[in-house]
Amino acid sequence: MSLIRRSNVFDPFSLDLWDPFEGFPFGSGSSSGGSLFPSFPRTSSETAAFAGARIDWRETPEAHVFKADVPGLKKEEVKVEVEDGNILQISGERNKEQEEKTDTWHRVERSSGKFMRRFRLPENAKAEQIRASMENGVLTVTVPKEEVKKPEVKSIQITS
């Protein structure tokens, strides 16, 4: 069984897998090998550190707009893909800095590794017209929407 989670709120459009036992010594996310769910894909701590790339999804009258914080990444290091016509996938990788033998590290807080987020697009999304741009470490993905056709109201005369 897999649970779907986005920022601790159930989101049926997000396809991120959440491991409730992540961080426990016996959980599937541990490196000890004692997984309760051997069929779950395992993630390294490096990947898990950057896996939660924060993404906002808002809907305007014209489009669905996704904004992802990807500071320090170049546009060549980020992929935006559509699978099966309705799954938007945003992924990328931040590499670790090279360590010099003469350097002394006092703190390492910036995360590195791969990230991937997937979202099921609604039926009104025009997946073939997606646009993406990146500015100042923010990736913006715009998915245009089909125009909603208003139902035609037809008056019917009542006869006696």
Side-chain angles (χ1 to χ4, degrees), residues 1 11 13 24 37 44 49 61 65-66 84-85 88 95 101 117 127 130-131 135-136 142 146-148 159:
M1 180 174 116
D11 180 0
F13 296 109
F24 287 97
F37 304 103
S44 70
V65 181
F66 297 82
D84 300 326
L88 175 67
N95 295 319
K101 298 278 185 207
R117 297 289 307 270
I130 292 178
R131 296 181 317 271
E135 186 176 337
N136 296 328
T142 304
E146 293 178 359
E147 290 184 29
V148 178
T159 60

Side-chain angles (χ1 to χ4, degrees), residues 130-157:
I130 292 178
R131 296 181 317 271
S133 64
M134 200 151 114
E135 186 176 337
N136 296 328
V138 178
L139 171 70
T140 302
V141 179
T142 304
V143 184
K145 292 174 22 180
E146 293 178 359
E147 290 184 29
V148 178
K149 295 179 181 174
K150 295 180 181 177
E152 189 177 307
V153 178
K154 185 177 180 180
S155 297
I156 300 173
Q157 287 187 342

Side-chain angles (χ1 to χ4, degrees), residues 1-53:
M1 180 174 116
S2 64
L3 296 176
I4 299 171
R5 177 174 93 147
R6 180 177 183 251
S7 302
N8 296 327
V9 176
F10 178 75
D11 180 0
F13 296 109
S14 177
L15 300 177
D16 294 338
L17 290 178
W18 172 60
D19 180 3
F21 299 107
E22 183 176 357
F24 287 97
F26 57 83
S28 59
S30 74
S31 57
S32 64
S35 174
L36 293 177
F37 304 103
S39 63
F40 271 23
R42 301 178 77 104
T43 59
S44 70
S45 60
E46 261 185 17
T47 302
F50 195 45

Side-chain angles (χ1 to χ4, degrees), residues 45-146:
S45 60
E46 261 185 17
T47 302
F50 195 45
R54 300 291 183 198
I55 298 180
D56 295 337
W57 175 2
R58 70 183 164 99
E59 183 176 355
T60 68
E62 298 82 27
H64 295 275
V65 181
F66 297 82
K67 289 196 176 229
D69 288 337
V70 288
L73 292 183
K74 299 176 189 136
K75 66 180 183 179
E76 297 81 21
E77 298 172 319
V78 178
K79 277 188 187 177
V80 177
E81 302 170 298
V82 177
E83 291 182 1
D84 300 326
N86 71 336
I87 305 294
L88 175 67
Q89 179 173 300
I90 300 170
S91 61
E93 182 174 6
R94 176 178 294 136
N95 295 319
K96 273 187 171 180
E97 279 191 37
Q98 291 286 55
E99 292 185 31
E100 298 293 329
K101 298 278 185 207
T102 58
D103 291 348
T104 301
W105 289 81
H106 295 279
R107 185 175 299 268
V108 177
E109 293 182 348
R110 296 183 314 139
S111 57
S112 62
K114 297 179 182 181
F115 72 92
M116 179 176 65
R117 297 289 307 270
R118 301 177 77 191
F119 301 91
R120 180 174 290 119
L121 296 172
E123 290 182 20
N124 66 349
K126 293 182 180 179
E128 66 282 351
Q129 296 179 12
I130 292 178
R131 296 181 317 271
S133 64
M134 200 151 114
E135 186 176 337
N136 296 328
V138 178
L139 171 70
T140 302
V141 179
T142 304
V143 184
K145 292 174 22 180
E146 293 178 359

